[in-house]
Each structure stands twice: as C-alpha cells, then as structure tokens.
Amino acid sequence: NTLRPLAAFYMRYDGSTNKVLKGGSIMSMEYLEQYFRYCALQKKLDAKTLKAYRIDLEQLAAYLQANGLSTNRAALEQYVEQLSARCKPATVKRKYASIRAYFHYLVYEELLDRSPVEKVRLQLRQEVVLPRLIEKDALTGILDAAYEALEASAGEHQRFFCLRDAAVLELLFACGARVSELCHLRASTLDLERQVVRIMGKGGRERWVYLCSPQVLDVLGRYRSACQARYPGAVWFFVNRDGKRLSEQSVRRIIARCASAAQIGGRYTPHMFRHSFATYLWDNCGDIYEVKNILGHSSIKTTERYVHASLQRQKMVLTTAHPRQYLTVHTVSSSGPTLAALPKPPVFDIAPNKE
C-alpha cells in the first residue's frame, strides 16, 4: 500500500480549519481508509471507482508531503494547476471530483468545519469528443464473421467457443451493455423465456433490458444449453475455458479476431458497440429518456452526446423541418429564371391569449 509511508505525515493542526483533528492530518491513512470503507459499504461503489478514488487521493497526499504543504485552499489550487499542466481536462476534472467528494465526506462526518475546496476555482476548456461509432456495414461484417467461424468449426470444443463468441457479440450490441456489465452477468440474470436480461450497472443501479431479436434469443439459447452441459453449475453466463468468468480482455480479443476475419480495417472496442447501439437507437426512436434508461445513465447529460453524434437524425430533421424548405424563391438556373416553390409548412390555428 503506497499510503503506508505517508502514515507518519501528520500535522496537529490543519490549514483549512481551526478544529484539532483526532488522528492528525486529514490526508492521513486513518481518514483515507475510513473514507474508502464508507464508499464501499454505504455508497456501494464498484471496485474500479474505488481504485480510481484511491489513486487520486494517494497522489494528492504524496504531493502535499513532498512539498511540505498543508491541506488548504492555496495548496489545492497549486495542485490543480500542476495537474492541468500535464493532464487532459477530463482527467483533471475526475481527480478534482474525487478530492471534492473526500472533503465533502469529512465535513459530513464533522471532522472538518468547512471544505478547503469550496472556493477553489476550476476553469478548464474541455473539447467535446463525439462517441466513436461502428458503421452498420462493419457491424454486419463482424457478426457475419462470428457466424461463419461457428459454421466452419470442427469438433465440439471449437464449436462451443465459436458459439460463445457469437453470443457475446450479439448480446453486447443487443442491449448496449458495458463490457464489465456483460462479463459480470450471472447465469440467473438472463430470462430468455421472458426475453429480458437484468444488468447491474454503475453504483449498484439495476436495469432490465428487453431482447427483441429472434436471432439474438436463438444464439443465446443455444449457448446457454451448451454451457450448462459443458460446465454444469457455472455461476457466470459467459465463461472461459476453465469455466470461470470471461474477462473484459477476452471480449476485446473476440472483437479484434472477428474484425480481422471480416477484413475490416481499424480498431474496434466493446464500448464502440455501446456507442453504436445508443446512436442508432436514438436515430430510430428519438426518445432520449428511453435511451438513457436502457443505457443505465444516471444523468441525461451523459446521454445527450448521442444526440450530437447522430448525423442521420440531423439529416432527417433538417430535411423535413428546415425553414428554407418552405420559402418560395425565384432562382436562376442554366436554362433561365425559375420559380422554386416547395410545400408550405402546416399552419396551426392557435387561439390568442385573452389575458
């Protein structure tokens, strides 16, 4: 544990408050471990989030110790400045959020009178990066390659794992799950008779997703039967050769192998399947709240980026609703003046406001 050398870094008084702290510095091992237990047991944060929090707070503690700084506003602003000089804006925002959450916890537990980050100004200009999508032709090619490998498989062993690979790809795109969610699906979480899958998402949020494709249900049913026969009593729905949980890295290798077999250039990731699912779903339904619920987002702002990524829907909206479509304009063509008249927009009879 990299925090152990920091355990001796105690200060009886902290620069951010007049309160005497029981265990020493607010960045001491005692308070940090107490906070991590709180995050794990009460906030129910997953292992990856806890790991990120630990890294972020350890780095802050190491910086303060190395520079002999107290935990106050000036020191935190200095730390954020040096982060901004070497990290991307998104990374700085995430680390700042980790620090802010920790000090909020200390105030909540009445270990501090006020948070030293209250007046720290964070002004970052972050580029808006649109989600990377897989074109529909490429998606078709990747899925076709998985089924072709299944059809060409020789022997029960090879056939089982080709069937698993096809099921992995189909479910990944069918419900837009994160790769970690897919790999942590238990055998009991898929109800193929009711055509639903129960997914445990970030922050312990549970959601149900309906499986609408007969082809997806067919390959999942065939895989489940084969898996039960080969690994009776298996806990996880997708398993590796030892009957244990399929890893996230294995899913990446499955995608890379099928993309290579389909002779599709470029690098494709499991999260691109999720981005593509969300964008194409938004194209067809136009209901951002439905997409949010299916993806398991806690905030609508996270889902809104798929609105910007959808060129197909933008094309449809501009083609049908752009005001230029309803102007009658005399234009000049190569053959002479013409009258460009397009259908006028519908007129709604709205009663005047009597107030």
Side-chain angles (χ1 to χ4, degrees), residues 143-202:
L143 291 172
D144 278 343
Y147 283 108
E148 287 170 6
L150 174 60
E151 188 176 355
S153 60
E156 184 180 344
H157 178 81
Q158 184 182 8
R159 181 170 181 79
F160 171 79
F161 289 105
C162 287
L163 183 61
R164 181 205 63 186
D165 293 352
V168 164
L169 295 175
E170 285 283 23
L171 189 57
L172 193 63
F173 186 61
C175 62
R178 301 176 180 92
V179 64
S180 59
E181 295 171 345
L182 183 90
C183 293
H184 282 86
L185 287 176
R186 294 179 178 269
S188 58
T189 57
L190 271 85
D191 188 340
L192 299 183
E193 287 68 34
R194 293 174 56 206
Q195 299 182 218
V196 292
V197 55
R198 178 167 58 88
I199 300 173
M200 188 63 67
K202 288 184 177 181

Side-chain angles (χ1 to χ4, degrees), residues 186-188 223 227-228 230-237 239 243-244:
R186 294 179 178 269
S188 58
Y223 165 73
C227 186
Q228 289 173 345
R230 189 180 183 90
Y231 301 102
V235 175
W236 307 104
F237 187 77
V239 298
K244 298 179 181 179

Side-chain angles (χ1 to χ4, degrees), residues 15-317:
S16 64
T17 178
N18 294 324
K19 184 177 289 185
V20 178
L21 300 173
K22 297 177 181 178
S25 169
I26 56 176
M27 297 306 298
S28 70
M29 183 114 174
E30 176 186 355
Y31 292 114
L32 288 171
E33 290 298 339
Q34 181 180 327
Y35 174 63
F36 296 142
R37 286 195 297 272
Y38 166 79
C39 289
L41 300 177
Q42 295 193 38
K43 296 184 72 175
K44 304 292 185 183
L45 299 182
D46 61 33
K48 289 184 178 180
T49 303
L50 287 171
K51 181 180 178 181
Y53 276 22
R54 182 178 289 274
I55 290 172
D56 295 340
L57 293 172
E58 285 179 3
Q59 289 176 347
L60 172 61
Y63 176 83
L64 295 175
Q65 180 185 16
N67 292 276
L69 298 173
S70 177
T71 313
N72 52 37
R73 173 186 168 184
L76 292 176
E77 285 183 339
Q78 181 179 325
Y79 179 65
V80 170
E81 285 177 6
Q82 67 89 23
L83 279 179
S84 302
R86 60 184 178 86
C87 300
K88 294 181 178 179
T91 303
V92 178
K93 283 188 175 182
R94 194 208 72 222
K95 291 181 179 295
Y96 175 76
S98 300
I99 296 167
R100 183 178 57 191
Y102 173 62
F103 286 113
H104 177 77
Y105 161 79
L106 293 177
V107 173
Y108 175 76
E109 292 291 332
E110 298 183 351
L111 296 170
L112 285 180
D113 290 330
R114 62 182 183 276
S115 170
V117 300
E118 277 182 2
K119 296 183 179 180
V120 174
R121 292 185 177 181
L122 186 67
Q123 295 181 345
L124 297 171
R125 183 170 294 179
Q126 184 175 350
E127 294 182 357
V128 178
V129 180
L130 295 179
R132 293 175 58 209
L133 307 181
I134 306 176
E135 296 294 333
K136 292 179 181 179
D137 288 344
L139 271 171
T140 302
I142 291 171
L143 291 172
D144 278 343
Y147 283 108
E148 287 170 6
L150 174 60
E151 188 176 355
S153 60
E156 184 180 344
H157 178 81
Q158 184 182 8
R159 181 170 181 79
F160 171 79
F161 289 105
C162 287
L163 183 61
R164 181 205 63 186
D165 293 352
V168 164
L169 295 175
E170 285 283 23
L171 189 57
L172 193 63
F173 186 61
C175 62
R178 301 176 180 92
V179 64
S180 59
E181 295 171 345
L182 183 90
C183 293
H184 282 86
L185 287 176
R186 294 179 178 269
S188 58
T189 57
L190 271 85
D191 188 340
L192 299 183
E193 287 68 34
R194 293 174 56 206
Q195 299 182 218
V196 292
V197 55
R198 178 167 58 88
I199 300 173
M200 188 63 67
K202 288 184 177 181
R205 291 188 297 274
E206 181 183 272
R207 67 186 189 275
W208 292 83
V209 180
Y210 180 75
L211 302 174
C212 59
S213 169
Q215 290 178 312
V216 173
L217 292 168
D218 176 67
V219 72
L220 289 175
R222 288 159 57 194
Y223 165 73
R224 182 177 64 177
S225 298
C227 186
Q228 289 173 345
R230 189 180 183 90
Y231 301 102
V235 175
W236 307 104
F237 187 77
F238 290 116
V239 298
N240 59 18
R241 296 178 186 276
D242 299 323
K244 298 179 181 179
R245 182 180 71 83
L246 186 69
S247 69
E248 288 84 347
Q249 189 58 35
S250 295
V251 176
R252 295 184 181 93
R253 284 195 289 265
I254 291 170
I255 295 171
R257 186 166 59 246
C258 291
S260 177
Q263 297 182 342
I264 301 171
R267 178 175 173 271
Y268 300 97
T269 66
H271 217 64
M272 290 175 68
F273 275 73
R274 179 173 167 86
H275 289 327
S276 304
F277 164 84
T279 303
Y280 297 143
L281 184 63
W282 159 250
D283 279 345
N284 293 328
C285 78
D287 189 335
I288 196 68
Y289 287 96
E290 281 297 332
V291 178
K292 169 187 173 294
N293 293 335
I294 293 170
L295 292 177
H297 288 157
S298 58
S299 171
I300 193 67
K301 290 183 179 180
T302 309
T303 319
E304 284 175 349
R305 59 183 174 165
Y306 297 112
V307 176
H308 301 297
S310 176
L311 291 177
Q312 183 62 31
R313 187 158 190 85
Q314 182 188 106
K315 177 182 176 182
M316 182 190 73
V317 169

Side-chain angles (χ1 to χ4, degrees), residues 332-338:
V332 178
S333 66
S334 58
S335 59
T338 60

